[in-house]
Amino acid sequence: MDTEKKDTDKKKCGGGCKCPRGKLFATNWLDGISSGNDFDVVEVVFKNTRAGFYANPNRLDLKIGDMVAVEGAPGHDVGRVSMIGRLVRLQMKKANISADTELKKVFRLATQTDLEKAAEAASREEDTMIRSRKIAEELGLNMKIGDVEYQGDGGKAIFYYIADERVDFRKLIRILADTFKVRIEMKQIGARQEAGRIGGIGPCGRPLCCSSWMTHFVSVGTGAARVQDLSMNPQKLAGQCAKLKCCLNFEIDSYSEAQKKLPPKDVTLETKDATYFYFKPDILARKVTYSTDKSIPANLVTIDASRAFEIIALNKQGIKVDALEVSDEKQKEKPAYVDLVEQESLTRFDNSKRRKRRRQQENGKAPTQQSKQSQQQPKQPQPKQPPRQPKQQSQQSQQPQQSQQPRPHNRRRDNRKQQSGKSDK
């Protein structure tokens, strides 16, 4: 029963259904195609965003979500397998790690003793962080210790700190080593890395990108906000790290490409009534709002970018338009609404069949409903017709009618008759 339960827990963790969001639970798009036997290196994730590549010389049958004991410096560390197979090779290539690089090794699957030691060491992290902050403050160091991470065996502690200037923390290291009786390692991180290690929920309602999937941070400038026509309010543009939001760089290419299709800001539109100035654009919708005053919004008119380019071309020819907006007569008809769901309906051809029947009835090709009803009704006996007359009688009756009709006048016959009469005499 224990082995079956363990296997089901591994499957759940590998699928990422009930596990917390993070880089560990990225979608394994080679699941079922590539296994741990395809490549002898695995990726192991530790606390928050710390991860590393470790060799698997013993060819252990590792799966995503397995807890393993790996080589530390010194001792051993306990982490969770986050990636196996050919995906690891691609990630190493992305991180510019060659295949010849000597990597640390995976010792074994973590035992119950290893897990208990790691949990005991992790329980001391918060208390260590608070005490180390007080020590740094007493020494007058201009730094902030943001997080502390203990190694799996509890013999080493990593202190993550933030500092704007170069800090001489040699004395701090000696005090910390004497206080906590562990090996000390100091790592400087930025504000974005600190937010990624701590985690949180962004204003979009989703977990922070820096704590979920981002590994490389690109500098963000105020120019990204200007291109997207955003308010230059620092409270709205800043994230939880007090820096500009990383997501400002996500859509800047789309906005800059769409902005090229808008008219220039310094061009005015001339009409017969007034002069309109560029006021505000709607970049993705390709619409521009114009005002009759440069400084304040007055008589605002919103038109399409195509209409604005048309007016600019007319103004260059010396023609002033009557109004910015197109009259109702010139406006193109809006395309009819199409419901894509109804295209797969079983009754989508019924209306066309009814129209076809009506057209056939109007043209007289298709039988009407009355004729259909008459066809469906049983045939009634028809009354007997009088006997037909013989053909001779009918021909005789037709002869007098033919004699009564005047014959066409023929001059040649008359001439022949005259000649025959002279010869008789």
Side-chain angles (χ1 to χ4, degrees):
M1 292 295 290
D2 295 337
T3 56
E4 293 178 359
K5 186 178 180 182
K6 189 175 180 181
D7 293 337
T8 54
D9 291 339
K10 288 179 183 177
K11 291 180 181 178
K12 286 183 179 179
C13 191
C17 56
K18 292 186 178 181
C19 297
R21 184 180 175 87
K23 297 181 182 66
L24 166 62
F25 311 104
T27 302
N28 184 15
W29 49 273
L30 287 179
D31 186 20
I33 301 173
S34 175
S35 63
N37 298 325
D38 294 344
F39 195 52
D40 59 350
V41 179
V42 296
E43 186 188 50
V44 181
V45 169
F46 303 95
K47 182 182 178 182
N48 293 337
T49 58
R50 187 168 71 93
F53 298 103
Y54 292 85
N56 183 15
N58 299 325
R59 290 290 182 176
L60 299 174
D61 186 16
L62 300 178
K63 298 178 181 178
I64 295 177
D66 287 342
M67 300 297 294
V68 291
V70 298
E71 183 181 356
H76 71 273
D77 203 351
V78 177
R80 189 186 297 268
V81 177
S82 60
M83 194 176 294
I84 58 174
R86 281 178 263 172
L87 282 177
V88 181
R89 182 184 294 158
L90 298 175
Q91 289 295 324
M92 290 178 65
K93 186 177 180 181
K94 182 179 178 182
N96 296 324
I97 300 175
S98 62
D100 300 334
T101 305
E102 187 176 354
L103 301 173
K104 295 180 181 180
K105 302 175 183 178
V106 177
F107 290 149
R108 60 187 179 275
L109 286 169
T111 61
Q112 188 64 28
T113 306
D114 296 332
L115 296 176
E116 289 176 359
K117 283 185 178 180
E120 183 183 355
S123 63
R124 293 184 289 164
E125 291 176 353
E126 186 175 357
D127 181 54
T128 303
M129 182 181 64
I130 295 172
R131 293 174 63 184
S132 62
R133 284 180 179 178
K134 291 181 180 179
I135 294 171
E137 186 178 357
E138 290 174 358
L139 295 175
L141 299 177
N142 188 15
M143 61 183 294
K144 175 190 174 183
I145 298 176
D147 193 13
V148 177
E149 180 181 359
Y150 272 93
Q151 198 171 263
D153 57 357
K156 179 182 174 181
I158 304 174
F159 290 80
Y160 298 93
Y161 71 95
I162 303 170
D164 298 331
E165 303 173 353
R166 185 181 177 87
V167 180
D168 185 8
F169 44 75
R170 288 177 292 182
K171 187 177 180 180
L172 175 65
I173 291 175
R174 289 195 298 268
I175 297 174
L176 293 177
D178 295 338
T179 304
F180 302 110
K181 308 299 181 183
V182 292
R183 186 184 180 91
I184 304 298
E185 181 181 350
M186 304 294 293
K187 273 191 177 181
Q188 185 176 2
I189 59 175
R192 288 188 172 91
Q193 285 84 352
E194 182 191 18
R197 293 192 63 81
I198 296 173
I201 303 296
C204 58
R206 298 176 63 87
L208 298 178
C209 297
C210 52
S211 65
S212 58
W213 61 271
M214 286 186 69
T215 55
H216 301 284
F217 299 96
V218 183
S219 61
V220 184
T222 55
R226 291 192 182 94
V227 170
Q228 300 177 50
D229 195 30
L230 298 176
S231 174
M232 301 305 293
N233 186 354
Q235 294 181 353
K236 293 183 178 180
L237 296 179
Q240 295 187 4
C241 58
K243 303 287 183 180
L244 291 176
K245 295 177 182 177
C246 297
C247 54
L248 292 177
N249 283 342
F250 294 170
E251 297 180 355
I252 187 171
D253 294 335
S254 300
Y255 275 88
S256 59
E257 193 69 24
Q259 205 168 30
K260 296 177 182 177
K261 300 178 182 179
L262 295 179
K265 296 182 179 180
D266 56 347
V267 177
T268 59
L269 303 184
E270 300 290 340
T271 62
K272 294 181 180 179
D273 298 332
T275 301
Y276 286 87
F277 300 92
Y278 192 100
F279 182 70
K280 185 181 179 182
D282 190 348
I283 299 173
L284 297 182
R286 295 192 63 191
K287 292 186 178 181
V288 186
T289 303
Y290 285 89
S291 171
T292 54
D293 196 302
K294 272 187 178 182
S295 56
I296 60 174
N299 303 321
L300 298 178
V301 179
T302 303
I303 59 175
D304 294 334
S306 58
R307 174 61 177 169
F309 282 115
E310 182 182 349
I311 296 173
I312 291 171
L314 293 173
N315 291 155
K316 287 182 179 179
Q317 298 175 5
I319 302 172
K320 293 184 178 181
V321 296
D322 296 334
L324 296 185
E325 295 178 337
V326 185
S327 59
D328 297 337
E329 298 177 356
K330 295 182 180 180
Q331 282 182 352
K332 297 180 180 179
E333 295 182 357
K334 295 182 179 180
Y337 173 75
V338 178
D339 191 356
L340 298 177
V341 178
E342 289 188 357
Q343 289 184 0
E344 303 299 330
S345 176
L346 296 175
T347 60
R348 61 185 183 276
F349 297 116
D350 292 351
N351 294 331
S352 60
K353 289 181 179 179
R354 291 172 184 171
R355 292 173 186 171
K356 190 174 181 180
R357 289 174 186 170
R358 289 177 184 174
R359 290 174 185 172
Q360 290 177 354
Q361 289 176 7
E362 291 175 358
N363 297 332
K365 294 181 180 180
T368 59
Q369 294 181 356
Q370 295 178 359
S371 61
K372 289 182 180 179
Q373 292 177 0
S374 61
Q375 291 176 3
Q376 294 176 359
Q377 290 178 359
K379 294 183 179 180
Q380 296 178 0
Q382 297 180 356
K384 294 183 179 181
Q385 297 180 356
R388 295 182 181 180
Q389 295 180 359
K391 292 183 179 180
Q392 294 179 357
Q393 294 180 1
S394 62
Q395 292 177 358
Q396 291 176 2
S397 61
Q398 290 177 1
Q399 286 178 359
Q401 291 179 0
Q402 293 177 358
S403 61
Q404 292 177 4
Q405 293 179 357
R407 293 181 178 179
H409 184 68
N410 196 339
R411 292 182 180 181
R412 290 183 179 180
R413 289 180 182 178
D414 296 341
N415 293 331
R416 289 176 182 175
K417 286 180 181 181
Q418 292 177 3
Q419 290 176 3
S420 61
K422 289 180 183 181
S423 61
D424 293 338
K425 288 180 182 181

